[in-house]
Amino acid sequence: MNIPKDLKYSTEHEWIRLEGTRAYLGITDFAQHNLGDIVYVEIPEVDNEVANGESVAVIESVKAVSSVYTPMSGTIAEANEDLESSPELLNEDPYENWLAIIEVSNPDEIEDLMSSEEYERFCKEQENA
């Protein structure tokens, strides 16, 4: 399982890369692996205000339909439109293919997310549950 060290992680299996006031949001390798082949992505609307914990996107796979929740509040600055026509990009590289960029309104929320080490332990606990 690929868990990059430079990202922060949520308990809903999203990752965040904070660059200044912009947060890149995506799903983790653990999430894409458990979803299976991704066949559809409903990307977030640009300029939408979002709150921590709010559903911002929907991913459909051959196994399930899953919501993506933002672990940081702000405004959707960009959405990755490539995922609409090529949802399988999330299976190929979930860290290169982000879902949205959020202009963050509360950067301190990053402190509530897990480090790569904490997230790895969390995933192992979920696998053994």
Side-chain angles (χ1 to χ4, degrees), residues 15-26 70-73 75-78 98-104 110:
W15 59 263
I16 286 284
R17 182 177 71 238
L18 193 59
E19 294 182 0
T21 60
R22 300 187 107 188
Y24 288 75
L25 168 67
T70 178
M72 298 193 79
S73 303
T75 304
I76 303 292
E78 286 183 52
W98 47 270
L99 286 159
I101 300 173
I102 302 165
E103 191 65 41
V104 176
I110 196 87

Side-chain angles (χ1 to χ4, degrees), residues 3-115:
I3 304 175
K5 302 256 183 250
D6 62 330
L7 304 176
K8 293 288 196 168
Y9 300 89
S10 76
T11 56
E12 298 293 329
H13 303 285
E14 289 93 11
W15 59 263
I16 286 284
R17 182 177 71 238
L18 193 59
E19 294 182 0
T21 60
R22 300 187 107 188
Y24 288 75
L25 168 67
I27 65 168
T28 65
D29 193 33
F30 182 92
Q32 73 79 23
H33 178 75
N34 284 305
L35 282 168
D37 292 337
I38 295 171
V39 295
Y40 175 76
V41 177
E42 180 185 297
I43 60 173
E45 292 248 349
V46 173
D47 294 330
N48 267 9
E49 294 277 328
V50 295
N52 184 334
E54 185 179 325
S55 175
V56 295
V58 176
I59 296 175
E60 290 183 27
S61 72
V62 294
K63 291 184 185 177
V65 175
S66 184
S67 291
V68 176
Y69 302 94
T70 178
M72 298 193 79
S73 303
T75 304
I76 303 292
E78 286 183 52
N80 188 348
E81 294 178 5
D82 292 343
L83 297 175
E84 288 182 311
S85 58
S86 302
E88 69 280 358
L89 291 171
L90 289 176
N91 290 120
E92 292 170 13
D93 189 343
Y95 299 111
E96 183 66 32
N97 296 292
W98 47 270
L99 286 159
I101 300 173
I102 302 165
E103 191 65 41
V104 176
S105 59
N106 184 0
D108 292 340
E109 289 174 336
I110 196 87
E111 301 303 322
D112 297 332
L113 299 176
M114 291 180 273
S115 69

